[in-house]
């Protein structure tokens, strides 16, 4: 039944193609009215019809024509005999360095390689620090908007939570003097670095600026303490600044984020201490 229906379908398609390619003649040829081809129906075991009754519903796709999506060009297999075209030497040729193995990257046959012919220029400082700038004018606008409380200590976490600085903070925050004329009330702030203009403007208004040191882990604990709580870890201990940064900081950073500033104590000069000690010590008599 299946073979008969396919033969009827192929004969019908061939006849229609011949009619389409035929040249028109002067006298028309009468044709009988077209009737839809009725294919024999096949009923399965469950009573379902295997073939539809009309030509329009008949599909040319069969289950035996299905195949996998095989790539047109197969991968070249080397060293698999002469018939493959890449056997024996596998496309490397006879003898020589290129046939036997590989050489290290940048090797140019013995001559001075490019990496040694070009001169060196500049260097990369391993002790360099990248601070994110933050102007005093932006802090003043946030205070006026009510997002920052000027009566409390302003830390780098406060600046990050209020949007004064971005989220990508590498080594800390540097306080800049842009908009320093808007600071008319005392504020207390702790940052990694500060410019001379910004420090003078804050101190002129009655506030204070303290330079604190945080290493990479300590800065993460300051800005994202919830990360340590989520991992079930304790906050790290504050790290001391390296010897090269001792003169650039005022104190070690505190963890967790502090809320009250540390007052600055004015230390007496060494000369004054010596004079006071000499006055207090009794004189020896001969």
């Amino acid at each position: 039944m299946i073979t008969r229906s396919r033969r009827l379908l192929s004969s019908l398609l061939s006849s229609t193609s011949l009619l389409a390619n035929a040249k028109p003649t002067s006298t028309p040829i009468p044709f009988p009215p077209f009737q839809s081809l009725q294919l024999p129906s096949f009923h399965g075991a469950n009573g379902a019809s295997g073939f539809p009754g009309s030509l329009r519903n008949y599909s040319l796709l069969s289950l035996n024509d299905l195949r996998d999506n095989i790539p047109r060009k197969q991968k070249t297999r080397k060293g698999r005999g002469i018939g493959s075209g890449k056997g024996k030497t596998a496309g490397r040729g006879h003898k020589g360095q290129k046939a036997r193995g590989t050489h290290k990257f940048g090797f140019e046959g013995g001559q001075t390689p490019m990496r040694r012919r070009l001169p060196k220029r500049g260097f990369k400082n391993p002790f360099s620090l990248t601070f994110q700038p933050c102007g005093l004018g932006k802090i003043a606008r946030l205070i006026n908007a009510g997002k920052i409380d000027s009566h409390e200590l302003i830390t780098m976490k406060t600046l990050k939570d209020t949007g004064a600085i971005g989220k990508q903070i590498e080594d800390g925050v540097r306080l800049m003097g842009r908009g320093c004329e808007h600071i008319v009330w005392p504020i207390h702030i702790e940052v990694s670095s500060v410019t001379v203009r910004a420090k003078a403007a804050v101190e002129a208004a009655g506030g204070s600026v303290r330079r604190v040191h945080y290493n990479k882990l300590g800065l993460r604990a300051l800005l994202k303490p919830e990360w340590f709580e989520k991992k079930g870890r304790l906050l790290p201990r504050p790290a001391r600044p390296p010897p090269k940064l001792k003169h650039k900081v005022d104190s070690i950073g505190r963890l967790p984020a502090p809320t009250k500033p540390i007052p600055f104590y004015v230390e007496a000069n060494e000369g004054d201490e010596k004079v006071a000690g000499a006055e207090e010590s009794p004189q020896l008599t001969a």
Side-chain angles (χ1 to χ4, degrees):
M1 298 294 290
I2 300 175
T3 308
R4 183 181 177 185
S5 61
R6 289 186 177 179
R7 288 178 181 176
L8 292 174
L9 179 63
S10 60
S11 61
L12 178 61
L13 294 176
S14 60
S15 61
T16 54
S17 61
L18 291 174
L19 291 175
N21 297 330
K23 295 182 179 180
T25 57
S26 58
T27 58
I29 301 175
F31 287 97
F34 177 76
Q35 297 179 357
S36 62
L37 178 62
Q38 299 292 333
L39 297 178
S41 60
F42 171 75
H43 297 280
N46 299 330
S49 176
F51 294 95
S54 62
L55 178 63
R56 295 180 180 179
N57 298 331
Y58 186 75
S59 176
L60 298 178
L61 182 64
S62 303
L63 294 177
N64 59 343
D65 295 335
L66 298 178
R67 63 186 62 187
D68 297 335
N69 189 12
I70 303 175
R72 295 182 179 179
K73 187 175 181 181
Q74 299 291 337
K75 181 181 178 181
T76 303
R77 303 174 69 230
K78 298 181 180 180
R80 295 299 185 272
I82 301 175
S84 64
K86 293 293 181 180
K88 191 184 175 183
T89 56
R92 287 174 172 256
H94 291 278
K95 300 182 181 179
Q97 185 180 19
K98 294 183 179 180
R100 292 189 172 94
T102 58
H103 48 77
K104 65 179 181 179
F105 180 76
F107 183 70
E108 299 183 9
Q111 70 178 11
T112 306
M114 180 67 71
R115 58 182 175 83
R116 294 180 59 187
R117 291 199 301 267
L118 297 177
K120 296 181 180 180
R121 184 185 179 94
F123 73 103
K124 183 178 180 180
N125 185 9
F127 303 102
S128 63
L129 300 175
T130 304
F131 298 123
Q132 188 169 139
C134 180
L136 288 175
K138 185 177 294 185
I139 297 176
R141 287 195 298 270
L142 293 173
I143 292 175
N144 293 330
K147 296 183 179 181
I148 296 179
D149 188 2
S150 60
H151 300 287
E152 295 183 357
L153 178 64
I154 302 175
T155 61
M156 290 182 282
K157 179 175 175 55
T158 307
L159 299 177
K160 175 179 175 295
D161 295 341
T162 55
I165 55 177
K167 297 181 179 180
Q168 301 297 332
I169 305 173
E170 296 187 13
D171 297 312
V173 180
R174 172 173 291 171
L175 187 63
M176 310 295 290
R178 295 192 297 264
C180 59
E181 63 275 3
H182 300 289
I183 300 297
V184 294
W185 51 84
I187 59 173
H188 302 279
I189 185 170
E190 288 186 358
V191 289
S192 302
S193 178
V194 60
T195 61
V196 177
R197 181 186 176 189
K199 185 176 181 179
V202 173
E203 292 179 351
S208 63
V209 180
R210 181 178 289 272
R211 299 173 300 175
V212 292
H213 172 74
Y214 289 98
N215 58 355
K216 292 286 188 180
L217 186 62
L219 193 62
R220 175 185 287 186
L222 175 70
L223 301 176
K224 297 181 180 179
E226 63 277 0
W227 184 86
F228 292 85
E229 183 179 356
K230 181 180 179 181
K231 297 290 184 179
R233 301 179 183 179
L234 298 176
L235 292 179
R237 297 180 59 184
R240 296 181 179 180
K244 290 188 176 182
L245 297 178
K246 282 187 176 181
H247 66 284
K248 295 183 179 180
V249 297
D250 298 324
S251 63
I252 302 173
R254 294 176 289 172
L255 292 174
T259 57
K260 294 182 180 181
I262 300 177
F264 284 91
Y265 296 99
V266 179
E267 298 180 357
N269 296 331
E270 295 182 359
D272 299 341
E273 292 179 356
K274 292 181 180 179
V275 172
E279 292 178 354
E280 294 176 359
S281 61
Q283 297 181 358
L284 297 179
T285 57

